[in-house]
Amino acid sequence: MGIQKRLVGSYFVVICLTVLILEIILNVSVRYYYFHNIEETLMNQAELSASFFQQYFGDQDLEEQSDRLLKGFASHSDAQVQIINVEGRLLQDSNGLQGDLTMTENIDVQAAIKGQPGSWKGADPNTAEAIYAVSYPLQANGNIVGGVRFITSLTETIHTVKQIAVLLIGVGIIVIGIVTLLGLLLSWTITRSIKDLKQAADQMTEGDFSIRVHKRYQDELGSLADTLNMMACRISKSEQLKNDFIASVSHELRTPLTSIKGWAITLKASEVSNQPLFYDGLDIIESESDRLTHMVDELLDFSKLDNGRIAVHFTSVDLTELLQHIGRQLTPRATRQGISLDVKIEEHLPVIQADENRVKQVMINLIDNSLKFTGSSGRIFITAHTVPGKVVISVKDTGSGIAETDLENVRQKFYKGDQQASGSGLGLSISEQIIKLHHGELRISSTLGKGTIVQFDLPIE
């Protein structure tokens, strides 16, 4: 069963139950109101009549005065009035009913001749008409001498109660109809958005991430549509980055392989006596092999980081010695490119607990990026200083810098702001993860055309 049917069905059942309960309560209340008012009215008239008799006729014979009493009682009421003696025999009736009838079969009369007010609702034995009767005892000198009975027809009252019940039922049906229509409309607005989301999700499962969900309302489903659209956008972007990465890595792998193969063929065909050519070829093969190894290492590191399988092994690390060693290692390359590489380290840097190889990997990645994007006559500064609780290490260059639009994305895997640059685009992403494993933070700031500063901190324990 679909969501729309379940929603409408639930609304319909709830509203029907609610209307049914209200109908029962209202109908019972209306019926009680009308019949209770009739009882109260008749009871008040009977009580006033009994009080009048006790005050003005208490010392006279009831049977002798019954005609006068009937005229007096009936003149102030539209109900049928009866005078009954203590034996339950009918003395007078305002409707002309003959006397000498025994009334003791009526429970209200039985109560009255015993000294208690009584009421009875039922059908008239002669006309079968619904009636309501109230009997009240008549007292003289503290003794029960008879009773007065007021009888009224319930035909009009029952007709009125039925009309009100029909009206209430009609209103209830109209309410159910309106609520059902509103339920259909509400469920349609909900299911329409859900159908849009499902169709978009189905297309995404087929690999089409260009689809976007139309946001119909500013509600939870609208927020879900925004989330789904954002997810599709990010997946599309990740797919594009992946494709660019594959193309870039394919090119990066092909270039050194072509160079290695070319030199292998050249050396194979050349004379061994040509020593300069032979050694130049070996140097290039070695260099290109190192380049391939570095790329493969980056891919392996990324795979481990992505699967959470990379581990760091903490040992005591002398940062001063480590940074100076890295500076000496990369100075020759910087010199060949006409770049000045300066290492400025605060004296007495503390020995920290870290994975020396991983920290070295991060530094080489950062300096390698600076060397790629810094032109001849440029400068690169490696600095380190302490702040409370940590050591801050910086790599600053005077290179081309990073555009503001690219600055937010450079840490993403596979991202390369300059598609012409060499490398896999994983260096910064891997470096950031390594720093996080050391409980530190990597920060990047850059100005296009002026240079870039990359900082990271390592805690002092």
Side-chain angles (χ1 to χ4, degrees):
M1 185 182 292
I3 293 177
Q4 186 172 15
K5 290 183 179 179
R6 293 205 303 272
L7 283 173
V8 175
S10 300
Y11 287 141
F12 185 77
V13 169
V14 170
I15 293 303
C16 284
L17 288 174
T18 304
V19 171
L20 177 62
I21 293 170
L22 288 175
E23 290 283 348
I24 293 172
I25 293 173
L26 289 174
N27 277 287
V28 169
S29 300
V30 168
R31 188 178 182 85
Y32 173 79
Y33 171 78
Y34 276 91
F35 286 115
H36 183 69
N37 277 351
I38 290 173
E39 181 183 7
E40 287 289 319
T41 300
L42 294 179
M43 192 64 75
N44 287 336
Q45 290 176 348
E47 186 178 2
L48 287 172
S49 299
S51 177
F52 177 81
F53 169 79
Q54 185 176 6
Q55 185 174 359
Y56 296 102
F57 294 89
D59 55 350
Q60 299 184 33
D61 185 76
L62 175 64
E63 189 168 347
E64 292 178 358
Q65 301 297 328
S66 60
D67 186 58
R68 291 178 61 191
L69 289 172
L70 179 67
K71 291 178 181 179
F73 294 163
S75 64
H76 296 91
S77 175
D78 294 329
Q80 179 184 353
V81 182
Q82 294 178 337
I83 305 296
I84 304 165
N85 67 11
V86 72
E87 288 84 17
R89 182 168 56 85
L90 178 65
L91 299 177
Q92 295 290 337
D93 185 279
S94 62
N95 284 357
L97 199 64
Q98 294 298 321
D100 296 330
L101 294 176
T102 301
M103 307 293 291
T104 53
E105 70 272 10
N106 298 307
I107 59 174
D108 59 306
V109 175
Q110 295 174 12
I113 60 180
K114 290 179 181 179
Q116 298 294 328
S119 61
W120 172 78
K121 183 176 68 174
D124 189 297
N126 297 318
T127 63
E129 182 183 14
I131 59 173
Y132 201 98
V134 169
S135 297
Y136 206 92
L138 296 176
Q139 296 183 11
N141 300 319
N143 297 316
I144 305 299
V145 296
V148 59
R149 191 181 192 213
F150 284 80
I151 305 169
T152 187
S153 172
L154 294 177
T155 302
E156 288 296 325
T157 303
I158 292 174
H159 180 68
T160 302
V161 169
K162 286 182 177 179
Q163 284 184 323
I164 294 174
V166 170
L167 178 63
L168 290 174
I169 292 172
V171 172
I173 292 172
I174 293 172
V175 169
I176 290 174
I178 293 174
V179 172
T180 301
L181 289 175
L182 290 175
L184 284 169
L185 178 62
L186 177 62
S187 64
W188 178 72
T189 60
I190 294 173
T191 55
R192 183 171 61 161
S193 298
I194 293 175
K195 286 178 181 177
D196 290 344
L197 291 168
K198 183 181 181 301
Q199 290 174 357
D202 288 341
Q203 288 184 257
M204 289 179 187
T205 58
E206 297 295 327
D208 181 10
F209 295 104
S210 62
I211 188 70
R212 294 293 180 269
V213 184
H214 176 58
K215 183 177 180 180
R216 298 183 182 276
Y217 307 103
Q218 298 289 339
D219 56 7
E220 289 81 358
L221 291 175
S223 299
L224 182 58
D226 288 338
T227 302
L228 198 61
N229 288 336
M230 187 182 300
M231 181 187 73
C233 181
R234 289 183 177 178
I235 291 176
S236 297
K237 192 171 183 179
S238 295
E239 285 291 311
Q240 183 61 44
L241 288 173
K242 182 192 73 175
N243 294 333
D244 292 343
F245 166 74
I246 292 172
S248 175
V249 168
S250 299
H251 173 74
E252 293 291 333
L253 291 174
R254 188 181 296 112
T255 301
L257 287 173
T258 301
S259 180
I260 290 171
K261 183 177 180 180
W263 274 102
I265 294 172
T266 300
L267 293 177
K268 187 176 180 180
S270 66
E271 296 292 338
V272 179
S273 58
N274 191 346
Q275 295 294 327
L277 179 64
F278 182 78
Y279 285 112
D280 286 343
L282 290 179
D283 288 340
I284 292 174
I285 290 173
E286 182 182 8
S287 174
E288 295 300 307
S289 297
D290 291 340
R291 185 175 163 193
L292 280 173
T293 301
H294 177 70
M295 291 183 64
V296 171
D297 287 342
E298 276 195 341
L299 292 173
L300 289 173
D301 282 342
F302 169 72
S303 176
K304 290 179 181 179
L305 284 167
D306 207 37
N307 293 312
R309 292 186 291 108
I310 195 167
V312 290
H313 304 284
F314 290 92
T315 59
S316 297
V317 177
D318 185 341
L319 281 178
T320 302
E321 176 59 31
L322 177 62
L323 295 177
Q324 288 176 347
H325 173 75
I326 293 171
R328 291 192 298 268
Q329 180 181 341
L330 295 177
T331 295
R333 176 182 168 187
T335 302
R336 287 196 302 271
Q337 295 181 215
I339 299 171
S340 171
L341 179 61
D342 298 324
V343 179
K344 296 182 178 180
I345 302 172
E346 182 182 279
E347 292 184 1
H348 308 301
L349 282 179
V351 174
I352 65 169
Q353 293 295 315
D355 188 321
E356 184 172 354
N357 289 328
R358 292 299 180 183
V359 174
K360 183 177 181 181
Q361 179 183 353
V362 170
M363 288 300 300
I364 291 175
N365 274 334
L366 299 182
I367 298 170
D368 181 66
N369 284 339
S370 293
L371 290 169
K372 287 177 184 176
F373 297 102
T374 302
S376 179
S377 302
R379 303 189 71 181
I380 298 174
F381 301 93
I382 301 173
T383 62
H385 64 279
T386 57
V387 295
K390 57 188 176 183
V391 177
V392 179
I393 302 171
S394 303
V395 177
K396 177 182 177 182
D397 63 58
T398 59
S400 58
I402 305 171
E404 187 174 350
T405 54
D406 293 325
L407 196 58
E408 297 178 358
N409 302 314
V410 290
R411 306 183 198 196
Q412 294 183 16
K413 55 188 178 183
F414 311 135
Y415 188 84
K416 293 170 67 176
D418 183 358
Q419 296 299 325
Q420 303 301 318
S422 61
S424 62
L426 294 172
L428 272 177
S429 177
I430 293 172
S431 297
E432 184 173 38
Q433 293 300 319
I434 291 173
I435 296 303
K436 285 183 178 179
L437 289 173
H438 283 79
H439 309 292
E441 180 185 5
L442 187 140
R443 299 174 295 277
I444 304 173
S445 60
S446 183
T447 304
L448 193 62
K450 293 186 178 180
T452 302
I453 302 174
V454 181
Q455 287 185 329
F456 66 90
D457 50 62
L458 298 172
I460 301 172
E461 296 183 354

